Amino acid sequence: MGIAVIKEAMLYEKIGDNKVHCKLCAHSCKISQGKRGFCGVRENRDGKLYTLIYGTVSSEAVDPVEKKPLYHFYPGSYVHSVGSIGCNFRCKHCQNWSISQVCLEDAYTMDIPPEELVERALLSRSSSIAWTYNEPTIWHEYTYECAKMAKEAGLGTIYVTNGYMTPDALRNIAPYLDAANIDIKAFTEKFYHDVASAKLAPVLEASALAKQLGIHVEITNLIIPSVNDSLDEIRELSKWVYKNLGPETPLHFTRFHPQYKMQDLYPTPVKTMQEACKIATEEGMKYVYMGNVPGSDRNNTFCPNCGKMLIKRGYFDIEKYEITPEKTCPKCGEHIPIVGEYAGSKHAPGEYDY
């Protein structure tokens, strides 16, 4: 069991009576002396707010960037991925509930200082570092310091996030954050209230702001049968992404499999997944993907102008890449919005240079 590193938090203010106001995420917790915020990892000690998880890592792996999923960011590259403990959501379907919903004192962790994380990423020959597996927003002090060091070392930086952060938090990390996959879990406040114990509006605000700040944004929507699979809801989500993030924003619809407190449900029918992709395309989205459906053509990238297959993907690997060095379709010349160069198969996941 790891020993948590305690560090004074960023983005809070003292509000009298030894209380503090945390301004990191949209819960905007007012925390009394000796208490913790909704996330469970930020604690008021004698009128000061502290993060209890600075450097605390519960999970570490070298992943294909496509697994995040990021399909338009340094395709074919590998990402040094780390997660911590806790979350500012209470999703009933969380696949990583064993780290996101566990009490910090009961978790098995290790301490990795920022400079060591960057070194480990370089040794693994990863192109980027991703803060993922649980919610990186609540890890802000650590991700901020790591991201600055990563940029200095020539590494990319990635958030896989629920988007439930304040504008101040996002603006603070933005200069050092290259890409984010933002999970818009549904398009109703009812879902966010009942399933995640949160609100939709701050997620939409953060998604739009991230785009404005120059962060490469891809959106994921997990479609859960009978919960958020209304075709009208999917159409409204697609319209919002088109209008606020742009038609070239990659939109990933992901198939649900029963998890955690939603094991009484069934996997999303493939037909529903196909309908979702069709609707998003009808609404003008140019790059619509289908996750957790192996073998689907919707896992590939096609030219939105002439229809040529440009990137053929396996499960999480690239089998064929035919976008020109100028980021255009070789058949019709259409510009294809890809950030960074195609990495190819330079090494296998977990292959280190020691």
Side-chain angles (χ1 to χ4, degrees):
M1 188 176 295
I3 299 174
V5 176
I6 311 301
K7 187 179 180 72
E8 187 172 359
M10 301 169 69
L11 300 173
Y12 82 96
E13 66 176 356
K14 300 178 181 182
I15 54 176
D17 295 326
N18 256 15
K19 291 184 177 181
V20 296
H21 178 194
C22 181
K23 297 185 174 183
L24 183 60
C25 94
H27 284 297
S28 193
C29 294
K30 311 294 195 303
I31 308 170
S32 300
Q33 157 65 20
K35 301 297 183 179
R36 297 180 184 179
F38 187 88
C39 63
V41 296
R42 301 171 77 76
E43 183 173 292
N44 180 345
R45 295 187 175 185
D46 299 320
K48 290 184 177 181
L49 186 63
Y50 290 86
T51 173
L52 307 181
I53 56 169
Y54 186 87
T56 301
V57 174
S58 67
S59 313
E60 181 182 25
V62 179
D63 295 321
V65 71
E66 285 78 15
K67 191 176 181 180
K68 297 299 100 187
L70 288 172
Y71 277 12
H72 289 222
F73 184 79
Y74 289 87
S77 67
Y78 286 99
V79 180
H80 202 96
S81 302
V82 288
S84 189
I85 296 295
C87 191
N88 53 1
F89 277 15
R90 296 288 183 269
C91 296
K92 296 177 180 178
H93 57 288
C94 182
Q95 65 177 2
N96 289 333
W97 61 270
S98 61
I99 61 171
S100 70
Q101 305 303 320
V102 70
C103 178
L104 178 62
E105 287 75 12
D106 296 332
Y108 288 87
T109 63
M110 64 186 296
D111 180 48
I112 302 180
E115 59 274 12
E116 182 180 339
L117 177 62
V118 171
E119 181 181 358
R120 292 164 84 99
L122 293 171
L123 285 171
S124 70
R125 289 191 281 170
S126 295
S127 297
S128 307
I129 294 176
W131 295 278
T132 177
Y133 305 134
N134 73 312
E135 177 50 46
T137 295
I138 65 171
W139 213 5
H140 186 84
E141 293 75 16
Y142 181 69
T143 65
Y144 177 80
E145 293 298 333
C146 290
K148 288 200 296 183
M149 292 183 186
K151 298 304 296 175
E152 291 172 1
L155 293 165
T157 53
I158 298 167
Y159 260 22
V160 180
T161 175
N162 61 31
Y164 211 59
M165 61 190 82
T166 62
D168 284 349
L170 184 52
R171 290 184 186 277
N172 190 245
I173 191 87
Y176 313 105
L177 188 63
D178 294 316
N181 183 291
I182 302 175
D183 188 1
I184 300 181
K185 296 178 180 292
F187 210 65
T188 66
E189 290 290 357
K190 184 178 189 310
F191 175 100
Y192 270 85
H193 178 272
D194 295 349
V195 177
S197 300
K199 297 177 181 179
L200 169 62
V203 178
L204 301 182
E205 181 182 8
S207 299
L209 180 58
K211 188 81 172 186
Q212 294 168 19
L213 292 172
I215 298 167
H216 172 73
V217 174
E218 302 195 20
I219 298 297
T220 291
N221 174 240
L222 178 71
I223 301 178
I224 307 174
S226 76
V227 180
N228 69 343
D229 62 344
S230 158
L231 298 184
D232 288 340
E233 180 178 339
I234 290 168
R235 189 174 296 278
E236 290 306 308
L237 168 63
S238 301
K239 287 180 177 179
W240 186 91
V241 175
Y242 178 91
K243 180 180 179 181
N244 294 275
L245 305 182
E248 294 189 335
T249 301
L251 176 56
H252 304 258
F253 291 111
T254 305
R255 190 183 189 203
F256 167 84
H257 291 283
Q259 298 279 354
Y260 195 34
K261 296 180 179 180
M262 285 191 168
Q263 295 188 39
D264 57 326
L265 297 180
Y266 50 89
T268 317
V270 174
K271 183 179 180 181
T272 302
M273 301 297 299
Q274 293 168 337
E275 283 294 321
C277 292
K278 179 182 176 184
I279 287 169
T281 302
E282 289 173 353
E283 294 302 328
M285 297 306 299
K286 294 183 177 181
Y287 302 97
V288 183
Y289 298 108
M290 186 189 301
N292 287 346
V293 185
S296 169
D297 267 356
R298 282 287 189 177
N299 198 38
N300 304 319
T301 298
F302 295 87
C303 175
N305 183 52
C306 71
K308 176 179 172 57
M309 183 187 292
L310 300 172
I311 305 178
K312 180 176 175 58
R313 297 181 180 87
Y315 193 57
F316 288 122
D317 60 330
I318 291 180
E319 298 177 353
K320 183 185 294 186
Y321 186 91
E322 296 189 2
I323 298 172
T324 71
E326 294 74 33
K327 311 286 178 65
T328 61
C329 170
K331 183 177 179 181
C332 72
E334 174 82 1
H335 172 71
I336 309 299
I338 298 288
V339 176
E341 303 304 318
Y342 171 49
S345 300
K346 295 181 179 178
H347 68 98
E351 193 175 279
Y352 287 76
D353 288 334
Y354 288 117

